[in-house]
Amino acid sequence: MCQYSSVDGHANDWHLMHLGARAAGGAGLVMMEATAVEARGRITSGDMGIWSDDHIKALSPVAAFIKQMGAVAAIQLAHAGRKASCDLPWKGGKPLTTEQGAAAWQTIGASAIPFDTTWHTPAEATVADIATIVAAFKSAAKRAYAAGFQVAEVHGAHGYLLHTFYSPLSNKRTDGYGGSFEGRTRLIREVTAAVRSVWPENLPVLVRISATDWVDGGWTIEDSVYLARQLKAAGADLIDCSSAGNTPKANVPVGPGYQVALAAAVKSQADVPTAAVGMITDARQADDIVLSGKADLVLIARESIRNPNFPIDAARILGVPPPLQNQYARAY
């Protein structure tokens, strides 16, 4: 089982993962989420970044502390693309306006298509921009390892930069990074290969995708199966299967475990380990997903925000020793 805690991509958020189900039986994993590989790739001005060597010094104590607590330090490398330059979520999270002056910045995307009518129109990435972005992910991975992180995840979901390239809803390019499936998926494949090239072979690289856009004419689960095979060949060890986020008009069938079937399809048809996420709120529900083979990990987000003690409660429910610090053991 995996506990996954964050509010996706916003202002120094964290994934708090606990790999401790009976099926997994592993150590803990704590992941720092949506860490921007470029300053323009931040969702908000409050987001964490790793585009400078100065960030190594700042993040090293974080990774060291996670290890000291007996867990594995992980980091999500991200670029928000056309969904960057937004206000802090607790201030509304809307795109920064020109009236806010220097607070706003130019966004970038696969094509000059805004996420919605009230959003910024991104600049269409040039081939030179694309080369810079691939290099930024590669350099960020090097810095992450130097800071002490042991797991790297490429964020290619939720309408952020890499998703805008592979989805036909947002990519209308006619060059080698657009048009066909191979063209549209080229950037996420190149980024994955670049990260893998500098990440130690004995440490995992994860890739998060939106496995479907939930829109007619958009990205589909069949596309994701094919992409997962290619990402595996590029060096990905696990595909983290989320969905949607690339259009405000998606018809998402939200409900308990509504994305588990996506992870199951990618796992079985692409022959690659997967993670499931989305309204997984109960320990037995999560345990069943892993034990039944639908996914290899379960990622629990908002439930662990609502209940920071979720790993302890889940362990007790599943009859395994809870991950307790000595100071708190008397309460259990």
Side-chain angles (χ1 to χ4, degrees):
M1 183 181 65
C2 175
Q3 185 197 353
Y4 181 74
S5 169
S6 80
V7 179
D8 186 33
H10 290 162
N12 297 352
D13 292 330
W14 298 80
H15 289 159
L16 272 128
M17 297 186 174
H18 180 72
L19 306 181
R22 291 175 297 208
L29 173 68
V30 177
M31 181 180 289
M32 192 169 67
E33 192 192 7
T35 310
V37 301
E38 288 189 319
R40 64 179 171 178
R42 296 167 296 160
I43 301 169
T44 80
S45 61
D47 281 18
M48 186 67 76
I50 194 163
W51 63 82
S52 165
D53 287 350
D54 292 339
H55 293 124
I56 298 173
K57 183 178 180 180
L59 293 175
S60 291
V62 176
F65 179 75
I66 292 169
K67 293 179 184 179
Q68 183 184 347
M69 293 296 102
V72 175
I75 189 168
Q76 189 181 75
L77 306 177
H79 195 301
R82 67 177 183 174
K83 293 176 82 173
S85 193
C86 291
D87 207 349
L88 297 171
W90 48 89
K91 293 184 178 180
K94 297 186 182 301
L96 297 171
T97 65
T98 53
E99 287 75 15
Q100 291 168 293
W105 63 90
Q106 176 64 55
T107 60
I108 191 169
S111 299
I113 303 171
F115 173 68
D116 202 0
T117 55
T118 60
W119 285 63
H120 315 110
T121 298
E124 180 173 306
T126 66
V127 173
D129 288 327
I130 292 169
T132 297
I133 289 162
V134 173
F137 272 95
K138 184 175 182 178
S139 295
K142 288 181 180 178
R143 295 186 188 104
Y145 182 67
F149 291 94
Q150 296 173 282
V151 177
E153 179 171 79
V154 173
H155 196 337
H158 302 164
Y160 299 139
L161 183 67
L162 302 183
H163 188 180
T164 66
F165 270 82
Y166 65 73
S167 172
L169 300 177
S170 47
N171 187 338
K172 305 300 180 183
R173 303 173 70 97
T174 58
D175 64 1
Y177 288 92
S180 67
F181 177 93
E182 293 299 320
R184 287 183 285 106
T185 62
R186 180 178 171 185
L187 179 56
I188 192 170
R189 290 184 284 111
E190 289 183 347
V191 166
T192 300
V195 170
R196 178 78 273 176
S197 72
V198 296
W199 201 252
E201 280 299 316
N202 65 322
L203 298 178
V205 171
L206 285 53
V207 182
R208 167 164 267 208
I209 64 171
S210 280
T212 176
D213 283 329
W214 299 111
V215 174
D216 289 342
W219 183 260
T220 68
I221 182 59
E222 292 78 16
D223 292 328
S224 290
V225 169
Y226 189 30
L227 175 61
R229 294 176 186 143
Q230 296 183 325
L231 293 175
K232 179 181 178 181
D237 297 292
L238 179 143
I239 307 300
D240 175 359
C241 296
S242 190
S243 71
N246 200 34
T247 171
K249 301 177 177 64
N251 185 23
V252 184
V254 177
Y258 71 103
Q259 295 175 142
V260 174
L262 303 175
V266 172
K267 176 180 169 67
S268 63
Q269 297 176 44
D271 190 28
V272 61
T274 61
V277 63
M279 292 194 71
I280 301 167
T281 60
D282 178 82
R284 291 190 178 89
Q285 175 195 16
D287 202 41
D288 177 70
I289 291 167
V290 176
L291 291 176
S292 63
K294 296 183 181 73
D296 299 275
L297 296 178
V298 170
L299 312 182
I300 298 175
R302 287 172 177 80
E303 184 61 23
S304 59
I305 296 173
R306 290 186 287 265
N307 176 16
N309 288 328
F310 183 88
I312 297 171
D313 294 342
R316 293 175 67 200
I317 290 169
L318 297 175
V320 297
L324 287 170
Q325 293 295 312
N326 293 332
Q327 297 90 330
Y328 297 95
R330 70 180 67 184
Y332 292 88

